[in-house]
Amino acid sequence: MSDWVKSLSKVLYIDLTRKIFWVEDREDLFSKWLGGIGVAVQLYKEEVPKGVDPLAPENAIIMAVGPATGVFPMASKTIAVFKSPLNGYIAESHAGGRSAAAIRFAGYGAIVIKGASDRPVYIVIEDDKIRFRDAGTIWGMRSSETVGRVLREALPGAGMRTIMRIGRAGERLIRYANVTAETYRHFGRMGLGAVFGSKKLKALIIIGRKGFKLPDVKSFREIYKELYDLTRGSATRKYHDLGTAANVIPLDKIGALPTRNFTSGRFEGAREISGEKLAEENLARRVACVACPVACIHLAYIREEYETEKYFYKTEFIPYDYELIYALGSNLGVSDRIGLLKMIKAVEEEGLDAISTGVVLAWATEALERGIITEKETLVQLRWGDWRNYVNAIHNIVLQPNEFYRYLGLGVEEASKRYGGVDFAVAFNKVEVAGYHTGPLFHASVSIGFRHSHLDAGAYSMDEKLVASGGSIPDAEKAFEMIKEEEAWRQVLNSYTLCLFGRGVYTKELVARSLRSIGYNISEKDLLRLGEEIYMEKHRIKLEEGFNPLDMRIPRRILETPTPLGQVSEGFIKNIVSQYVEKIRKSY
């Protein structure tokens, strides 16, 4: 066993019910499953009982980092695994910022949080010291950003520090509440914020001050320089220049930009909310996660006049990326950039996942338009493009002034079952859809995905390549193999804990070579085998939890609106899902 694996193998267990903690050495897991998602899935198997309610104390929050954390460029992600309150199955969510480096330099490879506190608390992990602190004064605070500022001032000092916290949405168990890391990064999808809230856990602060000795400095320096130079090259340039907002115009051009609740793939206001326009008119600065030379986080500024003092303004910075622009922009018909940024600010303050929020509001707007619901339910007049009323509705989702908003807080699937309009409720497996209407491979991939993100398997890119080449859509068996192969390799990258924006740089050869430089005896073939095993492990757990994708509803709206590859066939998606079920069951 290499010293590097030993240094990564400590798992910190925290029991919120009893306010105790302990550390276990889990070389058995880190030597076999590398780290990140590979280890987190095994800890989930050990800690989360089958059939448990996602909001019960028995659900566990597992956060894991990997062997590359803190040493290689773009290895910046923390992988969170938990049972999702949106659909009741194992789920994962990733975030960067300083979270991964802080966990690693505090001396841990993973953290398991279980149980539930009887009162609001926040946890401070400072190397070997763990403290449970009363969060009564910050519970219910209106802005998640303010909570972060208060905690920063309360916990000054040197070291690698991360502040992960929930907003009011998490406290009130909105099923798609997120967790904010630092100021501009999030565990966005699948409702981790609600799981924090169910445990009365307001925040998790980690301060790391430890260091680790590299086994072979010369080899490390050589591969590090090679990787560093590549991550500053053409493979990541678009993320630095415009960020993922660069996707708006290309997707609109091919007819794949979801618009007004997926009724179209083209938006007449795309140019106004594009990455180019935001950079020209509103970009204030770029920031980066720890150990990342790319700096993909783009911040726009807005000025707001004080209500009582003319000519006095406050300037605020708002993070933006493609998914937020799709969900709160084109999908709601919003082309006013300042209005869009104020909507992003509202979801930031409340601690909501922007994708789910946008899809839920798009369904509500169409339901109101069709007369399925009235203003008696919505309380505000929801109209495409009316960002002011959407801002009010975002706050209402969290404040829940009536039954209608209580259902919106459960997600679009539950709201449409209660009020009608299931055909235009755009969700797979009860999770609102990410912003790519590129073709059948993407929609098939998210229907079985864990993150319900375009990053599960990157199948939107497979659709786009078919559009560009004029190629034919593969048969269902081949389509599933393409999705599985890509997703299996991503399990390796997510165990290494690389940001997937670096996937074009980190080839199989470079991943293997970088691991060897820190003491791992591993080949490319070993990595491919590991990726396949993790993929199968994850999906077996989900099927054992009762997930039956063959009974899953395919949103009618997805089938009605043409993609760049034509109309999506329900039968084709079902055939891909059948391939998936057959392959996973054969692996038992």
Side-chain angles (χ1 to χ4, degrees), residues 23-44:
V23 177
E24 293 184 17
D25 197 326
R26 299 304 305 269
E27 286 181 27
D28 57 323
L29 297 183
F30 282 89
S31 60
K32 179 175 181 182
W33 300 100
L34 204 59
I37 188 65
V39 167
V41 165
Q42 297 305 314
L43 290 169
Y44 180 91

Side-chain angles (χ1 to χ4, degrees), residues 322-494:
Y322 169 71
E323 293 288 4
L324 279 67
I325 293 171
Y326 132 71
L328 302 175
S330 65
N331 204 40
L332 292 173
V334 172
S335 58
D336 182 314
R337 277 192 319 285
I338 299 301
L340 170 61
L341 291 169
K342 289 187 176 181
M343 291 170 67
I344 295 173
K345 180 187 167 196
V347 297
E348 283 280 322
E349 283 180 347
E350 298 287 9
L352 287 164
D353 172 34
I355 296 176
S356 287
T357 304
V359 172
V360 163
L361 289 178
W363 168 83
T365 304
E366 187 168 343
L368 183 62
E369 199 172 60
R370 288 168 175 249
I372 293 173
I373 54 174
T374 68
E375 211 171 313
K376 183 181 170 191
E377 280 85 27
T378 61
L379 304 179
V380 294
Q381 182 66 39
L382 299 177
R383 289 182 299 249
W384 305 119
D386 187 345
W387 62 266
R388 290 179 179 82
N389 280 345
Y390 284 133
V391 168
N392 291 330
I394 288 167
H395 293 304
N396 280 341
I397 288 173
V398 175
L399 298 175
Q400 307 207 313
N402 61 15
E403 181 198 64
F404 177 72
Y405 281 100
R406 284 195 288 280
Y407 271 92
L408 284 193
L410 298 176
V412 75
E413 186 89 11
E414 296 300 323
S416 64
K417 281 182 185 169
R418 168 64 181 83
Y419 292 95
V422 171
D423 284 351
F424 54 88
V426 188
F428 283 102
N429 193 20
K430 299 185 179 180
V431 183
E432 293 74 22
V433 178
Y436 296 79
H437 194 47
T438 49
L441 298 188
F442 172 71
H443 290 303
S445 74
V446 293
S447 73
I448 53 177
F450 269 64
R451 299 172 66 184
H452 282 261
S453 155
H454 65 295
L455 292 172
D456 270 322
Y460 68 97
S461 176
M462 299 172 195
D463 287 328
E464 288 175 336
K465 284 172 184 167
L466 288 172
V467 174
S469 67
S472 303
I473 297 171
D475 63 33
E477 184 174 1
K478 172 70 176 168
F480 170 67
E481 286 302 325
M482 290 167 64
I483 292 168
K484 182 172 82 68
E485 183 182 351
E486 178 61 27
E487 192 172 337
W489 172 242
R490 290 180 184 219
Q491 303 317 303
V492 175
L493 299 179
N494 292 335

Side-chain angles (χ1 to χ4, degrees), residues 88 126 129 136 160-161 214 260 324 335 405 506 514 572:
E126 195 167 1
K129 296 178 186 171
M160 188 64 71
R161 181 187 61 188
L214 291 162
R260 296 187 180 86
L324 279 67
S335 58
Y405 281 100
Y506 279 78
S514 63
F572 184 68

